Amino acid sequence: MIRVLLADDEGMIRSAVAALLRLEGDIDVVAECADGTQAVETALRLQPDICLLDLEMPGLDGVEVAEKLNRSIATRCIVVTRHARPGVLRRALSAGVAGFLPKSRGADEVAAIIRRVAAGGRYVDPEIAADALSDERSPLTDRELDVLRAGRRGETTGQIARSLLLAPGTVRNHISAILGKLSVATRQQAVLLAEERGWI
């Protein structure tokens, strides 16, 4: 029996997917979670074989959940998303995600992918993979990406500087360089663009 934890902040979708997966003779949905933080806590407690994670969730997103779990337990993670942005695929794979697919897949396909991943395989949606291969790389340096990550939830320059052990002036210089490279007017626009392309 493949023990599955399901995490999606949309209750109707979560319940429907859980009900359909429970019809499969070899899959047992052992938990349903409404956000990323709950998914991490529940997975650490139950240690399911597979975590089926929505990408867009409050608090921690599906990739962040997978990253935390892959450092702690042997569960394998599959991320599903409504908006499959190629850059996010690279982020997901570097976090150790074993499966990546759009929400448009049918329940039978999802069940087949769960079996494949549970058996040690991997699955990446072919269209997302093709888009990812042609997607542009980030023009930002690793340190500039660190600055964006540290300020993605609206942190002040001072807070970013403290979290990265940098001088506030250095952070301001990085932000200025980021805005120039991305041709945007504000740090918030830079964060949104970087998230959309999967750079952070």
Side-chain angles (χ1 to χ4, degrees):
M1 188 68 80
I2 302 169
R3 300 170 68 251
V4 175
L5 176 146
L6 182 60
D8 193 312
D9 61 316
E10 295 181 70
M12 189 181 296
I13 290 175
R14 186 176 67 247
S15 300
V17 172
L20 290 167
L21 289 177
R22 285 186 174 113
L23 296 175
E24 303 289 330
D26 59 341
I27 294 175
D28 181 22
V29 178
V30 296
E32 297 176 45
C33 302
D35 61 54
T37 304
Q38 185 187 12
V40 170
E41 291 168 358
T42 307
L44 291 174
R45 184 166 45 83
L46 297 179
Q47 304 208 4
D49 303 305
I50 298 289
C51 287
L52 188 63
L53 308 165
D54 183 25
L55 175 64
E56 296 95 4
M57 290 188 288
L60 301 171
D61 70 22
V63 173
E64 290 168 325
V65 171
E67 200 165 25
K68 286 182 180 297
L69 294 179
N70 285 334
R71 287 199 300 257
S72 310
I73 57 175
T75 191
R76 305 198 80 210
C77 296
I78 300 171
V79 170
V80 295
T81 180
R82 181 172 282 117
H83 308 292
R85 300 182 298 268
V88 179
L89 172 60
R90 284 197 296 271
R91 198 178 129 231
L93 293 177
S94 68
V97 167
F100 194 88
L101 62 147
K103 276 190 173 180
S104 56
R105 289 284 178 260
D108 55 338
E109 288 179 274
V110 174
I113 292 164
I114 286 171
R115 291 184 190 102
R116 179 173 172 171
V117 171
R122 297 181 81 163
Y123 178 85
V124 174
D125 178 76
E127 284 184 33
I128 299 173
D131 287 346
L133 288 173
S134 61
D135 196 42
E136 64 181 301
R137 293 283 175 188
S138 169
L140 305 179
T141 66
D142 288 343
R143 187 45 106 184
E144 288 164 353
L145 291 171
D146 288 342
V147 167
L148 277 187
R149 271 189 213 98
R152 73 195 301 178
R153 292 185 172 87
E155 289 83 353
T156 66
T157 301
Q159 289 170 321
I160 295 169
R162 281 192 296 279
S163 72
L164 297 177
L165 304 176
L166 295 173
T170 303
V171 171
R172 280 192 287 275
N173 289 342
H174 283 310
I175 291 169
S176 179
I178 290 165
L179 300 183
K181 287 179 181 180
L182 299 185
S183 301
V184 294
T186 67
R187 185 162 52 98
Q188 185 181 23
Q189 289 172 327
V191 167
L192 289 172
L193 180 62
E195 286 180 336
E196 184 178 297
R197 298 194 178 171
W199 299 337
I200 62 171

